[in-house]
Structure formats: C-alpha cells, structure tokens
Amino acid sequence: DLQVIILSAHSDPAFQAKCLDSGAFAYLRKPCSLADLEATFELALEERASAGEAPSAERLLESNCLQ
C-alpha cells in the first residue's frame, strides 16, 4: 500500500478534512519543518510495517501532522 502525505499551502480546514477523508495518510501545511516531515514519514512507515494498523489521531497530533 502507498501512504499519501499531502504537503500544501492550503490552510482551509474543509480542504484538509477532504484530503484526509479521501484516504491521505497525513496533511502537512507549508511551511513545514524538516522534523515534522521526517516524523510523518516515520509514522507512515511504521503504519505500513504494522500490516495496516492506522496510527491514532493522538499520535498524528503529537507529531504535528494535523496542525
């Protein structure tokens, strides 16, 4: 499976929700720090390695993926 990480300048919550509802793994807003991008990649790889267990919203929030 492919994990889609969206990096966008759009800050509209409805647009962000649409992306996530459409199956995106994470949504990061520009400018995005390298640390946040790396943390998101790590979460995506962990999720893929754990045979499809989706990370909790709390974990995504902790890594700034939903901010």
Side-chain angles (χ1 to χ4, degrees):
D1 287 336
L2 180 67
Q3 301 296 341
V4 175
I5 299 170
I6 296 174
L7 181 60
S8 176
H10 290 281
S11 61
D12 177 36
F15 181 76
Q16 178 180 350
K18 183 177 180 180
C19 292
L20 295 172
D21 289 344
S22 296
F25 176 79
Y27 184 98
L28 298 172
R29 285 186 296 191
K30 292 181 189 177
C32 177
S33 73
L34 182 57
D36 287 344
L37 190 56
E38 287 175 339
T40 304
F41 284 152
E42 287 177 22
L43 282 173
L45 290 172
E46 286 176 18
E47 190 269 335
R48 185 175 178 196
S50 67
E53 288 183 24
S56 68
E58 292 166 348
R59 231 174 131 188
L60 289 171
L61 285 171
E62 287 172 5
S63 68
N64 295 321
C65 295
L66 298 179
Q67 294 184 4

